[in-house]
Amino acid sequence: MGRTFYFTTPIYYVNAEPHIGHLYTTVLADTLKRYHQMMGDDVYFLTGTDEHGEKIAQVAAKKGVSTRALVDEVSGVFEETWKKIGINNDDFIRTTQPRHKEYVQQVLTAVKERGDIYFDEYTGLYCVGCERYLTPTELEEGLCPDHKTKPQEVKEANYFFRMGKYQAALLEHIEKNPGWIRPERFRNEVLSLLRLPLEDLCISRPKTRLQWGIDLPFDERFVTYVWFDALLNYPSALKRTTDGRDVFEKYWPECNHLIAKDIVKTHAIYWPTMCMAAGLPLPKHLDVHGYWLSGESKMSKSLGNVVRPLAFEKQFGIENLRYFFFREMKFGSDSSFTYELFVERYNADLANSLGNLLSRVASIVRKSQGGKLPQRPQEDEAIRAIAAQAKTVAANYGGHFEERRFHAAVDDIRALLSAGDKYINDQEPWRLVKDPSRGRELSAVLYTGLEVVRLAVLLLSPIMPRTCRTLLDYLGETRPLDGTVPFNELCAWGGLATGFEIGEVPRAFPRIDEAKLATVLAAAAPSPERATAPPPALERKPSKPEITIDDFSKVDLRVATIAEATFVQGADKLLRLMVDLGEGRLRQVFAGIRSAYPQPESLVGQQVVVVANLKPRQMKFGTSEAMVLAGGGGTSRLCAVTFAEPLEPGDHVS
Ligand code: MSP
């Protein structure tokens, strides 16, 4: 009897359309589902959209559409995208659905009755981008480290959840369950957060400020704070599925959340304490992955460097990207996506290694065996070695998947394919074909070559389901991969369908040439119109108190020429600049503009504005002797202030 699993992705905000960052977590859940099904397990997979909160209401207002229209449209885009590219989710939850709203209200009522919700006045620093209050220690130079925006100081009366009451119980749970948060370094991060005092959580917003949300069942003047609402999607979707079933008892005990590192705090602290107060058993695992970076910077809509799943599907095929995801990302660490790297990996692993092995061997089978797959041969030493390797790869595969070492599983498959390739090169079937007396040797070589391909494709099938199904069918391996045939049987060496007649050799992975890559790159580069399009009309209010001209004249602004620009080890937001202010020496400045300049060398020679009389600041990496002015950040692009004409270093700016 198989095991039971419940995989969830974060429910995505509907303020922007899906990009390949969202795609990754969704593909991860989909791949885990397919892997477990192949192992005979019972899996439920949930994804969906997070539709309340200030951020969404603000975007709708900016676009001049109703919030309802915005959420319906963008949620539809997410759902359609997943459908079009073959994501096999069991349900899709929207937090605006009645089933979810009712559940949230039930939980709020229960937690209030238990005495864990109280009313109080509070002043805090709120980041709309994060949709949460930030603690002063989380700020970098007064700004939200993720959104580069100044949090608003909010003072209001609200309802609070006694999160602090559950701190000790949560700490104990995490200490006693080492695999609860994976990988280890995120567990350590959470443990260190939990060693500081844990404040209670503000869980309401007054309707005078925000109407878009779920009403508090005990006070209609307030809506529920978006995270208290959103996290409850995980159980609410099980309590009532879209087709009206209650599958909570069955799947909840096996809940495994998949998230990226941006939302660890909400999932590892807010969520389990909420579960404790609501009397819900805690989820079983929290798997945390790193970011997909676009080159050096995090992929995000505001940086204009996102890759859209449906566009990619047309360009190079989503399944090839799924392969790249697992081949490239070490679970828990950040990875870089560039089209160039994708094409390099695709050409090497899929076109050259897998595709070539299949087409070389299959075409000789067509030529020499009338297309019929040969009999399983007597095994010589070379075949025994390759069969032993295949057996080890299959034996380690489950452990790699279940410990989230996907890249290691792919490495093993690649090694098996290169052993197959070497075997074919050594045995030279194209020469054996010419010698009728060596027919038996020839068919042994052809069998072995295609058996390696069959096994590699079987193991890749959770990652590239459609492509692999087509290739397996081509090889006469038509057995279902849904657990009805035990995995060990499928993977046993010698399973190739002897006597099956293969058809015309498919061009499974045509090589991607330079010209195709160049076309895609040109289309992906941000177009000048897009880059310079005016932002939607916004009412901008001054955010700081008025100052006099005398106050302003205290600031010594100067032209500085950048002489050097480099990354700072251990600081993913900073660049180290050496700037010339015409003083006969260079000044060192640490500037928080790294996300805008993935290739810092491009800054060398540029002239920027610096605050020259800022008191030098001692930082972890050295002293910062001035400050560079930059515009944007927050929800738009970040860009250093420069000049249209060359000036002298040290010139005044006023
Ligand atoms: N709505 C919240 C989640 C609530 S869950 C109860 C939210 N939404 S989000 O749209 O911002 O999605 C964040 C998630 O999208 C990440 O945790 C990750 O799963 C995925 N990713 C978005 N960008 C990503 C990268 N650049 N790289 C990797 N994953 C990324 O937070």
Side-chain angles (χ1 to χ4, degrees), residues 9-16 19-26 49-51 55 78 95 129-130 226-227 229-234 258-264 266-267 289-294 297-300 329 334-335:
T9 72
I11 46 171
Y12 305 112
Y13 285 129
V14 287
N15 58 342
H19 60 65
I20 65 169
H22 307 115
L23 176 68
Y24 174 72
T25 321
T26 312
T49 43
D50 186 353
E51 306 185 12
K55 188 151 59 175
F78 271 94
T95 53
C130 295
V226 65
W227 273 102
D229 147 2
L231 287 159
L232 285 163
N233 89 88
Y234 300 131
L258 308 169
I259 59 168
K261 63 184 187 183
D262 50 345
I263 50 178
V264 170
T266 47
H267 279 78
H289 63 78
Y291 288 149
W292 281 99
L293 308 175
S294 179
S297 4
K298 184 180 176 207
M299 198 170 280
S300 81
M329 181 173 263
D334 293 349
S335 273

Side-chain angles (χ1 to χ4, degrees), residues 9 39 89 111 248 320 354 417 452 476 497 507 528 585 593 633:
T9 72
M39 296 295 170
N89 49 307
V111 177
F248 180 84
N320 299 322
L354 176 56
L417 285 168
V452 166
R507 282 196 74 216
R585 69 167 191 104
I593 54 172

Side-chain angles (χ1 to χ4, degrees), residues 75-344:
S75 175
V77 174
F78 271 94
E79 198 169 3
E80 265 309 291
T81 301
W82 303 150
K83 223 179 256 162
K84 280 191 183 142
I85 60 175
I87 297 293
N88 196 12
N89 49 307
D90 293 282
D91 203 351
F92 187 93
I93 181 126
R94 301 183 52 185
T95 53
T96 47
Q97 288 167 337
R99 59 168 169 166
H100 176 73
K101 291 185 177 182
E102 284 158 24
Y103 185 75
V104 171
Q105 291 189 328
Q106 277 168 28
V107 169
L108 282 163
T109 306
V111 177
K112 177 98 183 347
E113 275 168 10
R114 195 182 171 129
D116 283 345
I117 291 178
Y118 61 92
F119 194 65
D120 200 4
E121 178 133 314
Y122 180 74
T123 309
L125 296 170
Y126 196 71
C127 171
V128 175
C130 295
E131 292 277 22
R132 65 181 181 88
Y133 285 96
L134 303 181
T135 57
T137 49
E138 284 179 286
L139 303 184
E140 280 175 14
E141 297 181 1
L143 303 181
C144 162
D146 283 342
H147 297 93
K148 300 271 176 296
T149 47
K150 191 165 184 255
Q152 304 161 9
E153 189 172 294
V154 175
K155 182 177 180 192
E156 45 188 39
N158 265 312
Y159 285 89
F160 288 81
F161 163 51
R162 289 190 200 283
M163 187 156 75
K165 174 175 157 189
Y166 296 95
Q167 173 167 16
L170 177 58
L171 188 60
E172 188 186 333
H173 178 79
I174 298 178
E175 278 172 342
K176 282 200 177 141
N177 294 279
W180 191 67
I181 304 175
R182 299 181 290 205
E184 184 71 11
R185 69 190 172 93
F186 295 109
R187 174 175 182 258
N188 292 338
E189 234 173 60
V190 173
L191 282 173
S192 43
L193 280 178
L194 282 175
R195 293 196 177 108
L196 304 168
L198 183 62
E199 286 184 10
D200 289 346
L201 183 67
C202 176
I203 56 150
S204 64
R205 297 291 177 263
K207 281 193 187 163
T208 46
R209 183 151 75 83
L210 177 73
Q211 286 89 47
W212 184 245
I214 300 178
D215 282 1
L216 285 187
F218 39 81
D219 192 337
E220 282 187 351
R221 295 170 305 154
F222 293 85
V223 293
T224 312
Y225 165 49
V226 65
W227 273 102
F228 201 94
D229 147 2
L231 287 159
L232 285 163
N233 89 88
Y234 300 131
S236 76
L238 295 185
K239 286 277 182 191
R240 202 192 315 161
T241 64
T242 296
D243 53 12
R245 290 171 302 140
D246 179 349
V247 294
F248 180 84
E249 294 299 326
K250 180 168 184 198
Y251 292 111
W252 182 253
E254 304 304 332
C255 178
N256 188 147
H257 297 309
L258 308 169
I259 59 168
K261 63 184 187 183
D262 50 345
I263 50 178
V264 170
K265 186 170 179 183
T266 47
H267 279 78
I269 298 183
Y270 295 7
W271 179 223
T273 55
M274 283 168 63
C275 288
M276 287 175 185
L280 279 169
L282 299 194
K284 202 163 181 178
H285 290 294
L286 187 57
D287 282 322
V288 185
H289 63 78
Y291 288 149
W292 281 99
L293 308 175
S294 179
E296 292 277 344
S297 4
K298 184 180 176 207
M299 198 170 280
S300 81
K301 190 181 157 223
S302 47
L303 293 178
N305 58 4
V306 294
V307 177
R308 302 280 180 210
L310 291 182
F312 197 96
E313 167 75 335
K314 281 205 194 111
Q315 290 158 342
F316 298 119
I318 283 289
E319 297 227 338
N320 299 322
L321 179 59
R322 291 174 64 128
Y323 173 81
F324 178 82
F325 279 159
F326 292 103
R327 188 236 193 267
E328 206 57 36
M329 181 173 263
K330 197 162 167 234
F331 200 79
S333 305
D334 293 349
S335 273
S336 190
F337 170 87
T338 62
Y339 281 105
E340 291 88 336
L341 188 61
F342 162 78
V343 170
E344 193 181 317

Side-chain angles (χ1 to χ4, degrees), residues 443-514:
S443 70
V445 171
L446 298 176
Y447 183 96
T448 306
L450 287 185
E451 182 60 348
V452 166
V453 172
R454 185 186 72 90
L455 288 171
V457 174
L458 260 178
L459 300 180
L460 284 173
S461 60
I463 296 176
M464 311 174 74
R466 291 174 175 175
T467 313
C468 291
R469 182 73 266 167
T470 310
L471 292 179
L472 290 172
D473 289 347
Y474 171 74
L475 288 174
E477 172 57 279
T478 51
R479 291 178 288 180
L481 306 181
D482 58 0
T484 42
V485 182
F487 177 71
N488 290 343
E489 238 171 74
L490 286 170
C491 287
W493 180 266
L496 191 68
T498 297
F500 178 81
E501 191 176 327
I502 55 171
E504 199 174 314
V505 182
R507 282 196 74 216
F509 302 102
R511 239 190 115 70
I512 300 173
D513 61 22
E514 293 283 320

Side-chain angles (χ1 to χ4, degrees), residues 560-567 573-580 589-609 628-630 638-643:
T561 308
I562 299 180
E564 276 175 42
T566 47
F567 292 129
K573 310 277 184 322
L574 295 181
L575 289 182
R576 175 178 175 273
L577 306 177
M578 294 303 290
V579 296
D580 179 6
V589 180
F590 291 97
I593 54 172
R594 172 170 172 163
S595 61
Y597 299 96
Q599 281 154 343
E601 334 55 91
S602 66
L603 280 169
V604 173
Q606 293 213 36
Q607 293 195 304
V608 290
V609 183
V628 171
L629 298 192
L638 183 70
C639 178
V641 177
T642 53
F643 297 92

